[in-house]
Amino acid sequence: MLRTIYVCFLLTLTTSVIAQDAYWQQDVSYKIEVSLDDKANTLSGKEEIVYKNNAPETLTYIWFHIWPNAYKNDSTALFQQLKNDPTSEDDLSTITHGYIDGLDFKVNGKKAKIEPHSNPNYIDIIKVILPESLKPGASATIATTFRVKLPSYFSRSGYADGQFMATQWYPKPAVYDKSGWHEFPYLSMGEYYSEYGDYKVDITLPGDYVVGATGVLQNADELKQYKSIGMKNATNRTEAPELYKGKSGNKTLTYLAKNVPDFAWFAEKNVVIQYDTLQLSSDKTVDAFTFYKNKPGTIWNNSIDYAKDATRAYSHWIGDYQYPTVQVFEGPKNNSSGGMEYPMITLITVPDASKEYLDGVIAHEIGHNWFMSMLGSNEREHTWQDEGLNTYFQFRYEAEKYRYNSIFKDQIPEAVKNLPLVQFQSALYNAMRQIPMNSAIDQPAENFKSSQEYGLISYLKTAIWVYQLEQQFGRQKIDEAFKDYFKAWSNKHPQPEDLKASFEKSLGSNLDAAFNKLKTVDNL
């Protein structure tokens, strides 16, 4: 009897350990209705979220990001970071603040109590207390109204010159994973970590706006006009573009997006639309759109080609683009940011430069559909796992297409440009290694002393790290390792240890030494 009990205990303990070690992630689905008041620069909306608890623990509360409050006053974590960054180019004296209010959370129809974060500067995080505990495997329907006063455009969100950038705009559950809650405040230096979910979003706004958004537009007439006009503009690039013909009054556009970690949308009048399709090697067809400002001599005339080329290249190197559409939207010019990525759409804010530079920026931001969206790593704790891996492939894209590099731009000597591809990239990486980068790659984004250090380490030093792996194992094996990693972890939340284990399995080699370099302070 005792032995039987002992064996049963061991079996129970083993089963428990296995269950705890099994991978899981939460599931969230959204229905959002939002209206834009383009005179008051406000959004009014309501959302319904079905939150499924796949964790092995019972939940009594859910942390929510209400990130528009990051723009509310000079004491928020966002403003503190910007004011303490000696390399920031944001002029905080000229901005108009924004915020979110009108929240009224109900869970399964019952009023929910709200608690603020213990840090008084984290006013963009709230705790929603569940009226009833949410057991493993159970779901809850969470609903709230909200109103957003958009800030003047800075740090990814807001309005500028008749254009609206609706990003981090709706109440959003924080990630809960094996490490617990990740209820961090919004920051400019350091990005996101978000739960995957399905979205149905209805956007009501004046009828003369063109909209680009995460997901697929469901309004057949609107989509037909976008495609018809966009195809003409993509074909006739030297002639005056045909512009969208809006309707009087308001319109409501519906977008659907499946299994994505975020939803963003952009709206502007009188923009040029380009449209085409691209076919991947698997025969999958993807709709491609670019939206840009109607001005003479724009270098955006060939933007649809850049979007298609980048999507094909990343699909070839890493794994097929999983979404039905890829979109690029030209935003306000901003020297402190080249662009910002969201699932299926990216905003490009780089000032007009060369076609090579624009193409590279578009490729980088589209590349985030892999390293951010389809591979949902924690960008706040391990920025390199997103930005740096992506930059390695951006550099390959630029080198193969143009013998160009966005770090050195037009400073590359002709003799170096004329080198074969392998030697060209070797010369560039040798030059990059001479740039002082004396800070560890793997550290939380908020620990970097400035946006300049953040960029050098998270982007450039990590790209050098990946290139060293390429030099050690060969490009073909590294490509196979990335494909295996993508296949194993797409639409999940891979941590650095998951990347390491995947690479070790694919490469058949212990990578302790290589991954220890991520903690190295000195140059690689």
Side-chain angles (χ1 to χ4, degrees):
M1 177 66 74
L2 288 174
R3 184 184 178 193
T4 302
I5 294 173
Y6 182 64
V7 171
C8 289
F9 173 76
L10 283 180
L11 287 173
T12 302
L13 178 61
T14 302
T15 303
S16 175
V17 170
I18 291 173
Q20 289 177 3
D21 288 344
Y23 178 82
W24 56 269
Q25 66 188 45
Q26 306 293 60
D27 184 74
V28 186
S29 64
Y30 298 81
K31 291 181 181 178
I32 306 176
E33 297 176 14
V34 62
S35 297
L36 168 68
D37 183 334
D38 64 344
K39 302 295 190 296
N41 303 318
T42 60
L43 305 175
S44 298
K46 62 180 180 178
E47 72 177 3
E48 181 181 281
I49 302 169
V50 177
Y51 185 101
K52 184 180 179 184
N53 181 21
N54 293 319
E57 303 88 19
T58 295
L59 301 181
T60 58
Y61 60 85
I62 296 175
W63 283 106
F64 266 77
H65 301 296
I66 50 170
W67 277 333
N69 269 356
Y71 303 87
K72 190 172 185 178
N73 60 52
D74 294 349
S75 299
T76 66
L78 168 63
F79 276 84
Q80 292 299 312
Q81 183 190 63
L82 291 173
K83 287 190 290 187
N84 292 328
D85 178 4
T87 61
S88 173
E89 295 187 35
D90 289 293
D91 185 357
L92 301 181
S93 66
T94 63
I95 63 98
T96 300
H97 289 282
Y99 55 84
I100 187 170
D101 61 15
L103 299 172
D104 183 22
F105 280 93
K106 293 181 174 66
V107 181
N108 295 331
K110 298 180 180 179
K111 182 80 172 179
K113 181 182 177 183
I114 305 300
E115 293 183 358
H117 196 277
S118 59
N119 187 324
N121 294 330
Y122 291 4
I123 61 173
D124 53 343
I125 309 169
I126 55 172
K127 181 188 287 185
V128 177
I129 309 299
L130 301 176
E132 297 177 358
S133 298
L134 190 61
K135 296 180 180 179
S139 297
T141 300
I142 306 168
T144 186
T145 54
F146 62 93
R147 189 181 78 97
V148 175
K149 175 66 172 70
L150 292 168
S152 56
Y153 178 74
F154 78 104
S155 188
R156 308 184 182 104
S157 182
Y159 64 89
D161 301 322
Q163 185 175 9
F164 293 89
M165 283 60 64
T167 64
Q168 58 270 358
W169 56 280
Y170 56 95
K172 182 178 184 179
V175 171
Y176 184 73
D177 64 14
K178 64 182 181 181
S179 301
W181 286 106
H182 298 269
E183 72 282 14
F184 47 72
Y186 174 76
L187 295 178
S188 193
M189 187 174 69
E191 295 175 5
Y192 311 112
Y193 185 35
S194 305
E195 300 286 13
Y196 283 93
D198 298 338
Y199 288 78
K200 178 180 181 292
V201 180
D202 296 327
I203 303 170
T204 300
L205 73 172
D208 48 355
Y209 279 91
V210 171
V211 175
T214 297
V216 177
L217 178 60
Q218 300 299 297
N219 305 66
D221 291 346
E222 187 90 358
L223 182 59
K224 182 179 179 181
Q225 189 177 171
Y226 281 20
K227 287 184 175 181
S228 175
I229 293 172
M231 184 67 78
K232 291 177 183 176
N233 292 332
T235 303
N236 302 315
R237 302 181 189 182
T238 59
E239 301 175 7
E242 182 174 339
L243 299 180
Y244 170 78
K245 299 175 179 63
K247 301 176 182 178
S248 60
N250 285 345
K251 63 184 177 183
T252 298
L253 305 180
T254 299
Y255 289 86
L256 295 181
K258 298 288 186 180
N259 204 25
V260 294
D262 202 359
F263 190 101
W265 57 279
F266 309 102
E268 189 176 10
K269 300 176 183 178
N270 300 317
V271 298
V272 180
I273 305 172
Q274 285 191 343
Y275 166 75
D276 202 352
T277 60
L278 66 110
Q279 194 169 40
L280 304 179
S281 58
S282 62
D283 291 332
K284 177 182 177 178
T285 299
V286 177
D287 282 334
F289 294 88
T290 61
F291 307 87
Y292 58 92
K293 300 179 187 302
N294 182 22
K295 57 188 178 184
T298 178
I299 62 173
W300 277 75
N301 282 345
N302 297 318
S303 58
I304 193 68
D305 296 337
Y306 306 156
K308 290 166 56 180
D309 287 351
T311 307
R312 284 197 195 97
Y314 275 77
S315 294
H316 174 70
W317 290 326
I318 306 165
D320 265 6
Y321 186 78
Q322 296 176 350
Y323 304 132
T325 184
V326 59
Q327 303 160 80
V328 180
F329 211 111
E330 183 180 12
K333 299 311 175 189
N334 186 338
N335 288 320
S336 64
S337 171
M340 186 59 206
E341 71 281 355
Y342 303 91
M344 295 184 237
I345 191 164
T346 180
L347 185 75
I348 304 297
T349 57
V350 60
D352 287 346
S354 66
K355 67 176 184 179
E356 294 87 354
Y357 188 65
L358 176 62
D359 192 355
V361 172
I362 288 175
H364 180 93
E365 303 306 338
I366 285 177
H368 279 300
N369 281 281
W370 283 262
F371 300 107
M372 177 281 292
S373 192
M374 291 181 276
L375 289 163
S377 59
N378 186 341
E379 300 177 80
R380 210 45 179 271
E381 290 294 316
H382 312 288
T383 305
W384 64 273
Q385 204 174 348
D386 166 63
E387 296 292 358
L389 304 186
N390 186 27
T391 300
Y392 164 80
F393 285 103
Q394 175 194 352
F395 288 168
R396 280 179 62 172
Y397 178 87
E398 294 170 337
E400 290 186 11
K401 192 171 181 180
Y402 296 114
R403 292 297 191 275
Y404 177 81
N405 181 271
S406 54
I407 300 297
F408 299 109
K409 300 183 179 68
D410 58 359
Q411 301 301 310
I412 303 174
E414 285 298 320
V416 175
K417 289 182 181 179
N418 292 329
L419 291 171
L421 180 61
V422 173
Q423 287 92 327
F424 174 78
Q425 286 205 276
S426 177
L428 290 183
Y429 274 105
N430 284 336
M432 291 177 200
R433 290 182 64 190
Q434 308 311 309
I435 301 172
M437 288 180 277
N438 298 317
S439 186
I441 291 172
D442 192 15
Q443 60 177 305
E446 58 266 29
N447 287 2
F448 289 104
K449 299 178 183 66
S450 68
S451 53
Q452 182 182 71
E453 181 189 50
Y454 168 81
L456 283 173
I457 305 303
S458 298
Y459 294 65
L460 194 56
K461 190 173 181 179
T462 309
I464 295 171
W465 177 81
V466 181
Y467 179 72
Q468 289 180 345
L469 287 177
E470 178 193 314
Q471 293 295 98
Q472 181 179 351
F473 295 100
R475 176 167 290 186
Q476 182 177 346
K477 287 187 175 181
I478 289 299
D479 283 354
E480 290 171 357
F482 271 105
K483 287 174 182 175
D484 289 343
Y485 171 56
F486 181 70
K487 184 177 181 180
W489 286 98
S490 62
N491 301 306
K492 297 179 181 178
H493 296 309
Q495 305 298 322
E497 59 267 26
D498 301 316
L499 172 65
K500 180 175 183 288
S502 179
F503 270 37
E504 287 182 334
K505 181 179 178 181
S506 182
L507 297 170
S509 179
N510 182 289
L511 295 178
D512 286 351
F515 275 76
N516 286 340
K517 289 183 178 180
L518 296 170
K519 303 292 186 180
T520 301
V521 174
D522 297 329
N523 274 27
L524 295 176

